Amino acid sequence: MSTAHVRKVAGTEPSSSVTAQNPAASADCPADSAAVPVAPAPSSAVSAHPTHPERMPVRGTPAHHLAVQDRLATWVCDLSLLHELTERLVRVPELEDALHEVLRAGATLVGAQRGMIALESADGLVPDTTVGLGLARPDLGTLETVPHEDHGARARHGDTPGGPADPSHPEPGAPAETVHRDLLHEPGLTPRHREVAAQLGLGASYALPLRAERAGRLGTAVWFYDEPTEPADRQRRLVGLYARFAAEHLARCLELGRARCTTAALTAELLPARLPRVPGVRMAVRHKAGPRGGGDWYDALPLPEGALGLAVGGVTGAGPGAVAAMGRLRASLRAYAVMEGEDPVAVLSDLELLLRLTEPARSATALFGYATAAPGGGHRLTLAGAGHCPPLVVGDLRCEYVETSLSAPLNMLSCWEAPSVELCARPGESLLLYTDGLLHRTGESADRAFARLHSAAQGAPWLVRDDPELLADHILHTVLPDDLDRADGREDLVLLVARFD
């Protein structure tokens, strides 16, 4: 006599978990539950909880399949949302923009309306920065008056019933999050905390520390609710995973920002700190370095017998290597200009020979001018160029380019040679020396860019042409409209204006 067959009930044995029931899901999702967002079980899945076997759907029944499908669908939705938010974050390279993106994404994940991130670190490598979402600058200043250490805060640790410890905290026992369900009535909060919450209309808050693996603690992200509440366990898990990724991205942004600042400081030290005072000549310069640091440079140096040397140029490449090569090239040109500055062709010939011997894999463009006072007024200029943009003479009676770009750049041919050009700058005329970054930033073809520069110089009012500082600003603003003159471009930009009285 055979015994009656007893149907197995889902949840009565370890093999009946969702992971075991769906091997395909196990292969796609990490085995560690901390790496997979766990969503609240839907109504059909609640009945399958092991503590209620009498209400569980039988394995193989439609209700059981629906519970598994609901759980898997929730996982897929959560992972898709995290993928979308992290993809948006990696497309933001600048630190301040990345901070705002983290705030917006975190607000989406925890269902908050406002938030703030305060960057601060013990080692001092992180700049103290505070940005807000839905908060004005005065509101951020008010929030900064709240004590950082609130002993009445309810901190969740790794043994939180909602799930494993937050992955953004590698240290065991460190609080993974700080939750204030009711900022106005929760016991233990400082009076200042309550006062600020009432002033800004904050009902609840949820805070997560931002900690990178190598950089350590970067700061804290806080999201605020208008009413007393707290995020659900699923929301906590998702924002914790996102915060771990966001902290690493912010650390990379900080490292990139420090590298850019270092390169910019090095470039500034290699260029003249100020322009010299030369009788009969007034000068102004505008220099903007690219994000990676480039090799564009300028120089103005007094020479023997009251002469003046003017130079602009650029080396190929970008980054610290190009900046260092630019410094060596500029220092060498200064030495050659002091020795034989009255012959610009000889100066550039010596520079080309040095570049060929010391840096055979690098080329450069350069323009050097030698200016002396003319007996009848004005100044006599002798110019020589090596593949560089032609200078522009601007005055009341003329606005024309000086053809000095008939030769190749330095270190491009077996032997560099080019003729010099002589001209007389009348009193009131200005000489514009610039690098090709000014033309490239327009985004137009070379012919159009040259025409735009010529039109900008020719259309400058008399009062603007009389002041080299005003003329330099006018040229940049006209040639690069729509705030392109202040925006960070991909290339260096140099504009040197010399007005002869």
Side-chain angles (χ1 to χ4, degrees):
M1 179 177 178
S2 61
T3 58
H5 176 68
V6 180
R7 293 182 298 177
K8 293 183 179 180
V9 179
T12 58
E13 55 185 358
S15 62
S16 62
S17 64
V18 174
T19 303
Q21 293 166 8
N22 195 328
S26 320
D28 296 338
C29 301
D32 183 6
S33 60
V36 179
V38 178
S43 58
S44 58
V46 170
S47 61
H49 196 279
T51 57
H52 302 282
E54 70 279 6
R55 291 158 46 194
M56 294 177 183
V58 179
R59 182 193 298 271
T61 62
H64 172 77
H65 292 316
L66 289 176
V68 174
Q69 291 175 2
D70 288 345
R71 178 63 61 87
L72 292 178
T74 303
W75 285 355
V76 170
C77 290
D78 291 345
L79 292 174
S80 299
L81 178 59
L82 284 177
H83 179 267
E84 178 184 353
L85 295 178
T86 53
E87 282 290 317
R88 282 166 45 183
L89 180 60
V90 297
R91 291 194 292 266
V92 182
E94 301 297 332
L95 176 61
E96 186 170 354
D97 295 337
L99 291 174
H100 285 95
E101 177 61 31
V102 171
L103 278 177
R104 287 190 292 267
T108 300
L109 292 173
V110 301
Q113 294 79 28
R114 289 176 282 179
M116 64 176 289
I117 291 181
L119 288 185
E120 53 187 5
S121 65
D123 57 10
L125 297 179
V126 177
D128 292 340
T129 304
T130 303
V131 298
L133 173 67
L135 296 169
R137 177 56 58 180
D139 299 337
L140 294 177
T142 304
L143 286 169
E144 290 177 348
T145 63
V146 176
H148 292 280
E149 297 294 335
D150 189 348
H151 300 289
R154 181 173 64 85
R156 289 208 169 192
H157 295 265
D159 56 353
T160 304
D166 181 68
S168 62
H169 280 269
E171 296 83 0
E177 55 188 11
T178 302
V179 185
H180 295 296
R181 292 178 174 176
D182 191 343
L183 291 174
L184 297 181
H185 305 96
E186 183 176 317
L189 294 182
T190 60
R192 180 57 182 169
H193 205 154
R194 300 182 189 279
E195 180 182 350
V196 171
Q199 178 181 347
L200 300 181
L202 306 177
S205 67
Y206 176 76
L208 272 181
L210 299 174
R211 187 182 300 273
E213 182 177 353
R214 291 192 304 171
R217 184 182 177 89
L218 303 177
T220 306
V222 189
W223 290 276
F224 300 102
Y225 301 88
D226 295 339
E227 302 294 337
T229 185
E230 66 174 316
D233 290 336
R234 173 193 176 194
Q235 294 174 315
R236 290 190 177 103
R237 182 70 57 79
L238 291 175
V239 76
L241 292 170
Y242 180 80
R244 179 174 62 179
F245 179 88
E248 298 295 337
H249 181 75
L250 293 177
R252 289 190 292 270
C253 292
L254 284 168
E255 185 176 356
L256 178 60
R258 286 195 293 266
R260 288 178 177 175
C261 290
T262 302
T263 303
L266 176 61
T267 303
E269 290 296 327
L270 293 175
L271 294 175
R274 61 181 180 84
L275 296 174
R277 294 180 179 271
V278 178
V281 183
R282 289 180 292 160
M283 292 176 285
V285 66
R286 299 292 182 267
H287 174 258
K288 294 181 180 295
R292 297 176 54 195
D296 287 6
W297 51 275
Y298 64 92
D299 207 347
L301 64 157
L303 296 176
E305 300 179 358
L308 173 67
L310 299 172
V312 292
V315 300
T316 56
V323 174
M326 174 268 291
R328 293 190 294 268
L329 199 68
R330 173 180 169 269
S332 302
L333 186 140
R334 290 175 70 94
Y336 297 143
V338 171
M339 293 186 295
E340 46 189 356
E342 67 278 359
D343 187 357
V345 173
V347 172
L348 295 185
S349 297
D350 295 341
L351 196 64
E352 195 269 344
L353 179 60
L354 177 69
L355 192 65
R356 182 181 304 279
L357 295 176
T358 59
E359 301 187 53
R362 194 181 296 275
S363 62
T365 65
L367 176 68
F368 180 73
Y370 181 81
T372 56
H379 284 73
R380 184 175 300 279
L381 285 84
T382 305
L383 302 168
H388 201 78
C389 304
L392 182 64
V393 179
V394 181
D396 295 335
L397 302 179
R398 63 174 172 173
C399 180
E400 59 188 19
Y401 288 105
V402 181
E403 188 55 69
T404 59
S405 58
L406 298 177
S407 65
L410 302 177
N411 210 10
M412 291 290 289
L413 300 178
S414 58
C415 182
W416 180 87
E417 185 177 354
S420 61
V421 178
E422 293 188 359
L423 65 98
C424 182
R426 306 183 185 94
E429 290 186 332
S430 299
L431 183 68
L432 273 61
L433 309 179
Y434 54 94
T435 59
D436 56 1
L438 176 64
L439 307 177
H440 293 165
R441 289 196 181 199
T442 62
E444 299 178 339
S445 63
D447 292 341
R448 283 179 151 309
F450 278 119
R452 180 186 287 270
L453 175 60
H454 184 277
S455 176
Q458 190 175 36
W462 179 85
L463 291 177
V464 172
R465 292 199 304 268
D466 187 59
D467 189 339
E469 297 285 348
L470 296 179
L471 181 58
D473 291 336
H474 171 79
I475 293 295
L476 287 183
H477 183 69
T478 307
V479 175
L480 303 175
D482 301 327
D483 292 335
L484 289 177
D485 55 330
R486 293 188 293 270
D488 293 332
R490 297 178 59 87
E491 299 187 35
D492 284 10
L493 181 153
V494 170
L495 175 62
L496 177 62
V497 179
R499 188 183 190 281
F500 302 97
D501 296 326

